Amino acid sequence: MRSRKLVPNVNVSNLTFKYRNTQALDRVNFTAYAGDFFAIIGPNGSGKSTLCKVLQGILSSPKNADALIAGKPAGTISACRLLAYCGDNDHMPRFLTGEEFIHNSARLHSHREHRIRVSKKEIEGTFAQLGMEGRHNEIMETYSHGMLKKTQLAASLLIKPPVIIVDETLNGVDIEAQYKIEVELHRFCQEGGTVLMCSHDFAMQSRNANKFLLLDRGRVVVTAPVVELAKEGLSIEDLVRQYIGIPESRINA
């Protein structure tokens, strides 16, 4: 079991990023520790996707900023091995079977001192748990939209890197599997992992997160423990609704 000490698995400091003349991120700062289930929320265009891309190393962070994954600079080989990203299905190699995809992911996250091995029994059990019993040996081209998303999550949960980014991944997943995945993500955090979850499903965010980060136009509006919202009688959905100015009557209409 991983240490329960406060270990910064994600550390972002003074992160600014521009697409030509568009300010996507503006001096973003936050830290996610081992055990944190971090909700990243905000309207479209707030900078959530750009932040995820910087953490993955798809976009390079500026020289005067820090974006670290378990102490390793984002985008380096070491950092990429320490992070699993679950997002858009378009990037998945659908010519592989689900089992092959998981073994390939394990190899990519391994290094000489630590070879990650996932047994056939573990894969079979996880697929069965997520309502895909017996489908691990089938080509992913035959998988539905929801099955592809569940396969990404299965791989991440079996490989267990320090950080898992869940980017709208539970959209389209059947409700029974969704609840089971939430349980497994919580277990992952209890063992010292960190989950960063981007989603517009605020009920799910409120149900799972212990901390949240609200972005708008690339800036951090507020970041705090969810318990601080609860003290004010608010949920994450309440916070977002108040921030964007949607009256209660429209929500309940």
Side-chain angles (χ1 to χ4, degrees):
M1 181 178 290
R2 298 186 182 96
S3 171
R4 297 298 297 275
K5 294 179 181 179
L6 288 178
V7 178
N9 277 345
V10 179
N11 191 12
V12 174
S13 177
N14 195 38
L15 180 57
T16 296
F17 193 90
K18 288 184 178 181
Y19 295 102
R20 294 186 178 179
N21 297 324
T22 302
Q23 189 84 39
L25 296 172
D26 187 3
R27 292 165 292 176
V28 172
N29 297 276
F30 80 98
T31 302
Y33 293 94
D36 278 344
F37 198 124
F38 225 108
I40 300 178
I41 57 179
N44 291 337
S46 62
K48 301 188 299 298
S49 294
T50 300
L51 175 60
C52 288
K53 288 177 181 178
V54 170
L55 294 177
Q56 293 175 77
I58 295 173
L59 298 175
S60 299
S61 57
K63 293 180 179 180
N64 62 340
D66 282 326
L68 304 175
I69 306 298
K72 307 296 184 182
T76 62
I77 293 175
S78 297
C80 289
R81 287 180 176 137
L82 300 172
L83 179 148
Y85 176 75
C86 302
D88 198 319
N89 293 335
D90 290 344
H91 72 282
M92 294 187 71
R94 303 190 192 193
F95 53 87
L96 298 177
T97 67
E99 183 172 350
E100 288 170 340
F101 172 73
I102 291 171
H103 285 312
N104 189 56
S105 298
R107 284 194 295 271
L108 289 172
H109 285 82
S110 296
H111 53 83
R112 290 182 180 180
E113 293 76 22
H114 177 56
R115 177 69 184 273
I116 300 171
R117 300 183 185 278
V118 182
S119 70
K120 189 178 187 68
K121 184 177 180 180
E122 288 176 308
I123 294 172
E124 289 175 346
T126 301
F127 267 61
Q129 184 182 24
L130 298 181
M132 300 188 295
E133 186 171 4
R135 303 295 298 274
H136 59 286
N137 280 326
E138 296 181 12
I139 299 293
M140 290 195 295
E141 184 65 37
T142 66
Y143 287 6
S144 67
H145 177 73
M147 288 177 65
L148 288 168
K149 291 196 168 189
K150 288 191 282 187
T151 301
Q152 289 186 72
L153 288 157
S156 298
L157 290 166
L158 287 167
I159 294 167
K160 298 180 181 177
V163 180
I164 297 177
I165 296 178
V166 182
D167 188 2
E168 299 290 355
T169 318
L170 295 179
N171 292 352
V173 173
D174 57 280
I175 191 66
E176 182 179 359
Q178 179 177 314
Y179 284 130
K180 289 179 179 178
I181 289 165
E182 290 177 22
V183 169
E184 292 306 313
L185 288 172
H186 275 287
R187 182 176 289 117
F188 169 77
C189 290
Q190 289 169 358
E191 294 177 352
T194 297
V195 172
L196 303 182
M197 179 177 282
C198 300
S199 178
H200 290 107
D201 186 340
F202 302 125
M204 181 179 65
Q205 297 280 47
S206 295
R207 192 166 61 240
N208 291 288
N210 69 316
K211 295 179 181 177
F212 71 93
L213 171 73
L214 173 58
L215 285 171
D216 189 21
R217 298 180 183 178
R219 294 186 177 183
V220 176
V221 177
V222 60
T223 181
V226 173
V227 68
E228 296 299 321
L229 285 178
K231 288 178 182 178
E232 300 178 25
L234 297 174
S235 66
I236 289 176
E237 182 175 6
D238 295 329
L239 174 71
V240 174
R241 175 177 52 79
Q242 289 183 7
Y243 180 72
I244 63 179
I246 299 179
E248 185 72 30
S249 58
R250 286 187 60 188
I251 293 293
N252 295 330

